[in-house]
Amino acid sequence: MDKLIKGTAADGTIRFMAAITTEITTEAIRRHQTSPTISAALGRVMTGTLLLGSSLKEFDRLTVKIECEGAVKGITAEATTDGKVRGYVKNPHIELPPKDNGKFDVSGIIGKGMFYVIRESGFDIGLHREPYVGSVPIVSGEIAEDFAYYLAKSEQIPSAVLLGVLLQNAEPFVKASGGVMIQIMPGANEHIITIIEDTIAHAPHITSVISEGASAEDLVKLALGEIDFSILEERQIKFECNCSFERAVSLISSLGHKEVASMLKEDKGAQMTCGFCSEIYTLDEADLQKMLETSAN
Ligand code: ZN
């Protein structure tokens, strides 16, 4: 199963998070049937959201939302504190030719736009606090740089973010997916920062090491080089949506008696697709009949 770790180095002045997300990206692609470039973009955004979520405190649900002018139009990923992530894109099937270096043209499908980070809390105890929303313009469109820019501008945390998705032509279509985030805290030694910058500049691409079997811990080594670090937390992560048949029923029921009666008469049922995970819920005549009887009371 996919895994996320976090920890510190250099007396707590360096924080890191790293994750292998190969299964998560595979599941998202299977559900949304995304084109290769969109698959890479969605995998990077979901991985970045998990890493960012594990580093921020006081929220139940962290959402990263990209709204953009490029052909994909929008990408949304949502992570919970217990390691669940889900995500979707507005236009899953569009595709662009690869860039000159052979890489996916992720910035090409994103273009200009805004990068939002939304933190919500209080659900568990029945509170509905105003969500905290931070936003920055999209500076790169390659995703990792946009997470780093958000951290620097909105949270005042200089960081290095590496995210990658490697695809292949046969199932499972994702060969490797993962990422690492290094955050520089106040008081960090300049010499240590230089070592990290230098290590990352000369590091192999993370997807090539993940496809060779690297763990989340190996990704941290790839970014920190010779610097000692300690892992403080390790958790399993997975793609999981909180939709259910009961939720589909309550959403359709909320359309009102008249609308449900017409669905029963004209369509002999109703169908609802979850936008976040593409799960399809089918309500038959009996389900709608029961709904009408309940709402009549
Ligand atoms: Zn769902």
Side-chain angles (χ1 to χ4, degrees), residues 32-174:
H32 298 304
Q33 299 289 306
T34 44
S35 72
T37 305
I38 302 285
S39 302
L42 180 58
R44 289 184 201 174
V45 174
M46 289 194 306
T47 305
T49 304
L50 279 164
L51 296 177
L52 183 65
S54 75
S55 78
L56 298 175
K57 288 195 180 92
E58 297 187 18
F59 73 93
D60 300 329
R61 190 160 74 184
L62 182 99
T63 306
V64 169
K65 193 177 222 171
I66 289 173
E67 285 179 3
C68 56
E69 292 172 9
V72 68
K73 294 293 172 201
I75 305 178
T76 302
E78 187 190 285
T80 57
T81 37
D82 56 354
K84 292 174 195 150
V85 65
R86 54 182 190 163
Y88 69 97
V89 303
K90 280 194 183 151
N91 288 323
H93 310 306
I94 54 127
E95 186 58 316
L96 282 182
K99 293 194 285 196
D100 292 342
N101 60 7
K103 300 223 185 283
F104 296 118
D105 192 2
V106 172
S107 57
I109 56 136
I110 289 183
K112 287 185 184 150
M114 290 297 290
F115 182 97
Y116 298 95
V117 175
I118 303 148
R119 273 181 265 186
E120 294 165 278
S121 65
F123 300 124
D124 291 350
I125 46 171
L127 282 178
H128 267 284
R129 296 200 195 109
E130 273 300 295
Y132 168 83
V133 184
S135 68
V136 290
I138 288 165
V139 287
S140 138
E142 291 292 329
I143 315 291
E145 294 84 343
D146 297 291
F147 273 95
Y149 187 71
Y150 167 80
L151 277 164
K153 284 283 161 185
S154 221
E155 311 275 342
Q156 283 77 50
I157 303 172
S159 21
V161 183
L162 305 174
L163 301 171
V165 174
L166 182 67
L167 302 180
Q168 58 190 6
N169 286 324
E171 283 197 61
F173 297 110
V174 184

Side-chain angles (χ1 to χ4, degrees), residues 177-244:
S177 175
V180 57
M181 190 177 267
I182 306 292
Q183 301 183 344
I184 314 290
M185 306 321 279
N189 180 308
E190 283 300 327
H191 178 62
I192 297 270
I193 297 174
T194 309
I195 294 177
I196 295 172
E197 283 171 349
D198 199 51
T199 307
I200 290 176
H202 296 96
H205 202 274
I206 57 165
T207 51
S208 53
V209 298
I210 297 171
S211 64
E212 284 158 15
S215 63
E217 190 175 342
D218 294 327
L219 298 186
V220 178
K221 283 181 194 151
L222 177 143
L224 295 185
E226 297 302 306
I227 300 167
D228 286 333
F229 60 87
S230 31
I231 297 170
L232 303 177
E233 207 182 306
E234 181 177 324
R235 75 167 69 122
Q236 296 197 319
I237 46 175
K238 62 175 174 176
F239 186 104
E240 191 176 301
C241 190
N242 61 8
C243 64
S244 64

Side-chain angles (χ1 to χ4, degrees), residues 5-21:
I5 58 170
K6 60 181 206 174
T8 59
D11 298 323
T13 57
I14 303 293
R15 291 200 306 200
F16 64 81
M17 306 85 206
I20 301 294
T21 55

